[in-house]
Amino acid sequence: MTDKPKRQGPGMRLRTYFLTGMIIVAPIAITAYLTWSFILWVDGWVKPYIPLVYNPDYYLPFTVPGFGLLMALFLITLIGFLTANLVGRSVISVGEMLLDRMPLVRSLYKGLKQIFQTVLAEQSGSFKQAGLIQYPRQGLWSIVFIATDTRGEVRERLPVGESMSVFLPTTPNPTSGFLLFVPREDVLILDMSVEEAAKMVISAGLVSPDFPKTLPIKSKPDTKTKTPPETGATGS
């Protein structure tokens, strides 16, 4: 005889409803809170520098949230437009020359500039793909974000052929991790996007993107050592 499934009591059903509601409400509430906090933070930083004539808070009996953020976006875009011409580039060059003569500020500015150029530049191919590598040993696979082909001195010094620079994120914080230089043939490219791979890392594998079985699966790298076939002795 097959056992009948046990019916949940009222307390168990309430617990299930509560957890289901938390899964729906918590991400929305946290996202709204962080977004609102960011808007207020930018407003508090930008609005004091806006002349009262152009500040709507001066004319209205209430504050207009987000106006400082809009002004910041406008000013950043305007600076980018002015920098694109010859006069703007000349001004930036003079400013960088002055910063280059300041010992501590020079290192900080160059480091931050290089980071933002790598992350935000349109020609950068940073983290456009996700992949798998065998780490920390053969037989164990880890998700990596593929940055670019290995270049410069590192490429010349490596004893292998073509290699790729990959970022191995940690769980549950994908902003920290390890920079690895891996042979190209040892990297298994995934069809999932970088955002989907990041969600998988953050959730420790609990959130996995859908994968249609109709998609062609890329060939997996051979991880086993091939043994030569046995040759039988010829005899009469």
Side-chain angles (χ1 to χ4, degrees):
M1 295 178 61
T2 58
D3 296 336
K4 295 182 180 180
K6 295 181 179 180
R7 298 183 59 183
Q8 292 183 345
M12 185 63 67
R13 285 200 297 268
L14 288 176
R15 178 178 177 274
T16 303
Y17 296 153
F18 174 78
L19 293 178
T20 304
M22 281 292 294
I23 293 175
I24 297 174
V25 173
I28 298 176
I30 294 174
T31 302
Y33 172 77
L34 293 177
T35 304
W36 185 254
S37 299
F38 176 76
I39 293 174
L40 294 181
W41 177 75
V42 176
D43 282 353
W45 181 61
V46 176
K47 278 187 176 181
Y49 298 97
I50 300 176
L52 295 179
V53 180
Y54 304 105
N55 194 339
D57 295 348
Y58 180 71
Y59 304 99
L60 299 175
F62 55 88
T63 60
V64 179
F67 183 75
L69 178 61
L70 293 177
M71 287 299 298
L73 295 176
F74 172 76
L75 290 176
I76 291 173
T77 306
L78 180 62
I79 292 173
F81 170 75
L82 296 176
T83 308
N85 56 50
L86 180 60
V87 177
R89 287 197 296 268
S90 301
V91 174
I92 295 298
S93 299
V94 173
E96 289 184 341
M97 288 177 57
L98 295 176
L99 290 174
D100 196 48
R101 299 187 179 185
M102 303 178 184
L104 297 178
V105 179
R106 173 180 56 195
S107 302
L108 179 62
Y109 171 74
K110 287 185 176 180
L112 291 175
K113 182 180 179 181
Q114 186 175 10
I115 292 174
F116 276 91
Q117 282 179 338
T118 303
V119 175
L120 300 179
E122 290 182 357
Q123 66 271 18
S124 175
S126 300
F127 299 161
K128 290 292 182 65
Q129 287 181 305
L132 291 172
I133 64 170
Q134 296 193 77
Y135 183 90
R137 64 170 177 83
Q138 278 196 336
L140 299 181
W141 294 85
S142 298
I143 290 181
V144 294
F145 301 142
I146 299 172
T148 181
D149 293 334
T150 306
R151 303 168 184 169
E153 182 181 359
V154 176
R155 177 182 177 181
E156 298 299 327
R157 297 281 186 179
L158 287 176
V160 297
E162 293 187 2
S163 59
M164 306 182 73
S165 304
V166 302
F167 178 73
L168 175 67
T170 56
T171 301
N173 180 19
T175 59
S176 64
F178 306 95
L179 172 63
L180 304 176
F181 304 101
V182 186
R184 181 181 292 272
E185 60 270 15
D186 292 342
V187 181
L188 180 60
I189 307 298
L190 296 175
D191 290 318
M192 70 174 66
S193 64
V194 176
E195 290 77 11
E196 291 172 336
K199 292 178 183 178
M200 196 171 183
V201 172
I202 294 173
S203 65
L206 296 178
V207 177
S208 181
D210 295 332
F211 181 73
K213 295 182 180 180
T214 55
L215 289 178
I217 301 177
K218 297 180 176 65
S219 58
K220 299 180 180 180
D222 189 7
T223 58
K224 298 181 179 179
T225 305
K226 295 181 179 180
T227 57
E230 296 181 1
T231 55
T234 58
S236 54

